[in-house]
Amino acid sequence: MKHDSIAVIDFGGQYAHLIATKVRRAGVLAEIRQPDDPTDMFRGYKGVILSGSPSLSAFGEDSEWNKEVFELDIPILGFCFGHQEIAKYYGGRVEHGGREWGLATLNILVDHPIFKGLEKKETVWMSHFDTVVAIGPDFCEYGYSKLGETGKEHRLAAIGSDKYRRYGFQFHPEVENSVHGDEMIANFVIEICKCNPTWSMEAYLAETVERVRAQVGDKSVFLLASGGVDSTVAAKVFGLALGADRLHLLHVDNGMMRKGESQRVLKMYADLGLDQNLHFIDATDEFLAAIGNETDPEKKRRAIGTTFVEVFDREAKRLGIESHLLGQGTIYPDTIETGGTKRADTIKTHHNRVPIIEKLIKEGKVVEPLAELYKVEVRELGEKLGIPREAIWRHPFPGPGLGVRLLCSNGVTPKDDIASLQAAVGPIAESFGLRAYVLPIKSVGVKADLRSYEHPVVLCGDASFEKLTEVSGNILKEVQGINRCIWNVMGDDPKTVEVVEGYMTRDRLDLLREADQIVMDALRHHHLYDCIWQCPTAMVPLKINGVGRELVIVRPIKSERAMSATAAELPPVVIDEIRRGIEKLPRISGLTLDLTSKPPGTIEWE
């Protein structure tokens, strides 16, 4: 059956495939196209959506891409950078400034099919540096944005021209935090482009099975099986496409698993009937030796990813199956955050996207059946494959495991002007009756689709969750050089903070395993495990007020696709239970809760 389709032009923003996913959720086939694809490639589509971009070139020289697309007689909708490109092409003006990220209120000024079924005020998600400040002839302002009731207005947050059938949103309707963004996208696809919704996950599964068979041919697949939902669903897809006899699974304990995790994973695969060719190896010593005393987050990730491949190669030779293709449960966030498309910025290198893996991909030796899906689509696919709910809805756990939750340091404080940052954040917190302290460490974040490596701020004082997130949002929007806010829930204000030495060792990993288990047990005890999408526990080598050596950070979040996230509230009784457990552990200097949305903070601290 031939489906109506929409082209999504991927400018390297984090959300291009998320846009395609949302179009598919509306029942319409979406395909990713590159900005320099020839115009003829776009003929036959019912419409085009322009993604965001990590490039700041909307201000100054025009970005280099095939603008002949604008000459096509089909509707075009742009988000963020795409919105700015539409405005410029049709006589508008874009300026550098007016940055926004996080939640904002879109005030809709017009009745239009693209806003069908929506209220006049809608919650939307912003992540941009550049701003449209003027529009050309035949364009109208459809809406403006505002942070809260008293915040600054940002005009031209939504624009459009029915004459040209061109529309632009400064915000990102494709992320979950834009509450009715799905409806806006569906309205464009169905109401404006007049697409017939005939696409489904069943069709995607059938096409994926055929694609795997075509790529693998008469060979077999050797899958690195972590036990997470991605690799588990990938294993079922491979089994369906190739049969159990042509699929080998390898589970590697890299020493950075959760407490008792490998044993649970092996049992789960047996229960799923995936143990016919299931292999296991404990490679803890090898991974820890590869990381050594490395403290840089990117180098740690690359060491972990490279060691995975080395272990895979060695085990494949030992088993006599080195000719098998490498199977991976890679999903789209892994690719885009690693800068895996032409224009994407590297936010953090995922273990399944280190250089040696990229080389194997170019050689056609890697098979990734889920590479265009997000976590929610993987889970939907898993349900259709009959995988039990407890396996599908486990909290996501990164391939590097606790390796990206255990921050390392050589004991040297970063040479940044922390005093200036402190002078900027202090008054903001004080205006809400709280106190704020900039920590002398850094973590990975993402701002306007670009990687950031900046300082966190600790908030101190009693306040509601709503007030804490409001203060956090204001600090993150107003102060450059800050990409996280955390709340102190144990001990006194951090009047003195000392960076101490801390590397990737068994002792530190064991301590983090215990802290992580305390958090997971508390969530299950209070029936919150299924309500929270993910809850990483991180540990940072800091001595606070002369006490301990490890600061624990708990990061409960709400998300669906990992490309955006918001902090999840934990009830006081849960926080108290976690605090009591953490206090009993050795060398602990404090306990905090991460309040940061994504962006500007990534889900993991590294």
Side-chain angles (χ1 to χ4, degrees):
M1 177 181 181
K2 180 173 173 55
H3 305 280
D4 286 344
S5 59
I6 297 291
V8 178
I9 299 183
D10 180 5
F11 287 104
Q14 288 204 68
Y15 308 130
H17 275 242
L18 183 50
I19 298 167
T21 295
K22 291 303 183 75
V23 173
R24 293 198 301 261
R25 300 287 272 187
V28 175
L29 174 63
E31 296 179 341
I32 302 295
R33 301 247 61 100
Q34 294 304 306
D36 51 4
D37 283 346
T39 308
D40 284 346
M41 280 193 174
F42 293 91
R43 303 189 193 282
Y45 289 108
K46 300 278 283 188
V48 175
I49 298 178
L50 310 179
S51 83
S53 170
S55 170
L56 299 182
S57 59
F59 177 68
E61 295 183 5
D62 285 342
S63 57
E64 297 180 2
W65 65 282
N66 179 18
K67 294 184 177 64
E68 288 184 5
V69 170
F70 284 131
E71 302 304 315
L72 295 173
D73 187 23
I74 54 176
I76 299 178
L77 172 63
F79 303 154
C80 198
F81 174 82
H83 159 78
Q84 295 157 11
E85 288 294 287
I86 289 173
K88 285 196 305 177
Y89 187 85
Y90 290 96
R93 192 171 80 255
V94 177
E95 290 185 355
H96 189 49
R99 62 181 183 152
E100 296 174 282
W101 37 71
L103 295 174
T105 299
L106 174 68
N107 294 267
I108 298 173
L109 302 174
V110 296
D111 290 322
H112 193 275
I114 208 163
F115 298 126
K116 179 181 176 181
L118 304 184
E119 301 297 327
K120 292 299 182 184
K121 292 180 182 288
E122 289 287 345
T123 299
V124 296
W125 187 262
M126 295 287 188
S127 179
H128 67 97
F129 285 112
D130 297 341
T131 303
V132 175
V133 295
I135 52 178
D138 299 306
F139 273 76
C140 298
E141 181 181 32
Y142 283 4
Y144 65 92
S145 62
K146 194 174 182 180
L147 176 64
E149 291 300 321
T150 59
K152 178 183 176 182
E153 290 184 358
H154 291 260
R155 306 302 306 192
L156 303 173
I159 63 174
S161 167
D162 287 329
K163 174 182 176 180
Y164 295 112
R165 292 193 294 172
R166 303 291 183 259
Y167 309 93
F169 298 157
Q170 182 61 78
F171 53 93
H172 289 274
E174 70 272 24
V175 305
E176 298 304 319
N177 310 90
S178 291
V179 177
H180 291 115
D182 288 17
E183 287 86 342
M184 297 181 199
I185 293 172
N187 284 339
F188 173 72
V189 170
I190 305 299
E191 302 295 329
I192 306 296
C193 299
K194 307 299 181 184
C195 290
N196 185 23
T198 59
W199 182 247
S200 67
M201 182 57 77
E202 286 83 359
Y204 180 85
L205 174 58
E207 292 181 5
T208 299
V209 166
E210 290 305 314
R211 188 167 62 248
V212 168
R213 288 172 178 163
Q215 181 180 354
V216 175
D218 59 359
K219 296 182 187 248
S220 298
V221 167
F222 191 12
L223 173 69
L224 284 166
S226 69
V229 61
D230 304 331
S231 60
T232 302
V233 172
K236 291 292 285 186
V237 171
F238 283 130
L240 183 63
L242 306 173
D245 58 324
R246 295 173 61 195
L247 173 65
H248 282 255
L249 306 180
L250 174 64
H251 176 68
V252 179
D253 184 350
N254 62 2
M256 300 168 230
M257 306 292 285
R258 283 177 159 149
K259 190 174 181 179
E261 184 81 359
S262 286
Q263 292 73 25
R264 288 194 295 271
V265 168
L266 295 173
K267 182 180 184 303
M268 179 187 71
Y269 280 130
D271 292 342
L272 290 172
L274 294 171
D275 58 340
Q276 178 173 325
N277 295 307
L278 176 61
H279 314 282
F280 169 71
I281 181 172
D282 185 344
T284 300
D285 291 340
E286 195 167 342
F287 277 89
L288 294 187
I291 297 171
N293 289 345
E294 185 57 66
T295 61
D296 180 82
E298 273 292 286
K299 292 179 180 178
K300 283 169 57 183
R301 281 179 170 270
R302 289 175 182 269
I304 293 169
T306 300
T307 306
F308 265 119
V309 177
E310 291 171 352
V311 171
F312 165 82
D313 284 343
R314 187 181 67 242
E315 289 303 297
K317 290 176 183 176
R318 183 180 68 82
L319 295 166
I321 56 174
E322 60 265 35
S323 63
H324 285 27
L325 300 181
L326 171 62
Q328 293 197 137
T330 307
I331 61 175
Y332 189 66
D334 300 347
T335 302
I336 195 66
E337 288 188 341
T338 309
T341 60
K342 183 175 180 180
R343 297 171 182 238
D345 187 60
T346 297
I347 294 163
K348 54 188 179 183
T349 300
H350 286 254
H351 73 289
N352 46 25
R353 279 296 178 270
V354 294
I356 191 169
I357 292 287
E358 297 284 9
K359 180 176 180 291
L360 292 173
I361 290 172
K362 290 179 181 178
E363 294 171 353
K365 296 179 180 178
V366 179
V367 191
E368 297 175 323
L370 314 178
E372 293 190 349
L373 300 182
Y374 290 80
K375 192 73 69 176
V376 67
E377 284 79 33
V378 174
R379 284 172 166 155
E380 181 183 348
L381 185 57
E383 289 174 345
K384 293 187 181 301
L385 289 166
I387 299 174
R389 177 179 173 80
E390 58 269 21
I392 293 175
W393 289 96
R394 294 173 67 220
H395 279 197
F397 191 61
L402 300 180
V404 293
R405 297 178 181 179
L406 186 65
L407 277 68
C408 298
S409 170
N410 58 9
V412 177
T413 301
K415 295 180 180 179
D416 293 331
D417 190 356
I418 294 177
S420 294
L421 293 175
Q422 183 65 50
V425 303
I428 298 174
E430 289 169 7
S431 69
F432 288 87
L434 297 170
R435 303 169 302 282
Y437 302 86
V438 179
L439 291 180
I441 56 168
K442 292 184 177 182
S443 73
V444 175
V446 54
K447 291 182 174 180
D449 293 325
L450 295 168
R451 181 184 192 269
S452 71
Y453 192 48
E454 298 175 320
H455 293 276
V457 168
V458 181
L459 296 177
C460 300
D462 293 329
S464 67
F465 181 76
E466 289 74 17
K467 177 181 282 190
L468 288 167
T469 54
E470 185 178 1
V471 177
S472 172
N474 276 272
I475 289 174
L476 294 168
K477 287 180 175 65
E478 298 298 328
V479 183
Q480 296 190 48
I482 301 295
N483 65 5
R484 289 186 191 269
C485 284
I486 58 180
W487 179 41
N488 181 28
V489 296
M490 188 177 87
D492 298 328
D493 287 15
K495 298 288 181 62
T496 64
V497 180
E498 179 185 351
V499 180
V500 297
E501 282 190 278
Y503 303 107
M504 193 69 61
T505 62
R506 284 180 181 268
D507 189 45
R508 292 190 75 216
L509 284 164
D510 285 341
L511 182 59
L512 180 53
R513 264 187 275 274
E514 293 299 329
D516 174 80
Q517 189 65 45
I518 289 167
V519 175
M520 292 295 105
D521 286 346
L523 295 181
R524 289 188 175 96
H525 178 216
H526 293 276
H527 309 291
L528 290 175
Y529 183 87
D530 291 334
C531 303
I532 291 174
W533 189 77
Q534 190 176 6
C535 191
T537 298
M539 204 163 71
V540 184
L542 292 177
K543 179 182 289 188
I544 297 177
N545 297 331
V547 174
R549 296 182 63 85
E550 306 285 2
L551 173 65
V552 175
I553 303 110
V554 179
R555 179 152 171 68
I557 59 167
K558 297 179 289 186
S559 182
E560 283 198 12
R561 293 173 174 82
M563 299 307 295
S564 66
T566 55
E569 182 178 8
L570 295 183
V573 64
V574 178
I575 296 173
D576 189 55
E577 182 172 320
I578 293 172
R579 179 186 55 76
R580 292 198 309 270
I582 297 296
E583 281 179 333
K584 297 176 183 177
L585 297 178
R587 306 190 304 281
I588 299 299
S589 60
L591 171 66
T592 61
L593 289 179
D594 196 333
L595 306 167
T596 317
S597 62
K598 177 186 179 181
T602 50
I603 291 174
E604 304 292 348
W605 272 55
E606 289 191 338

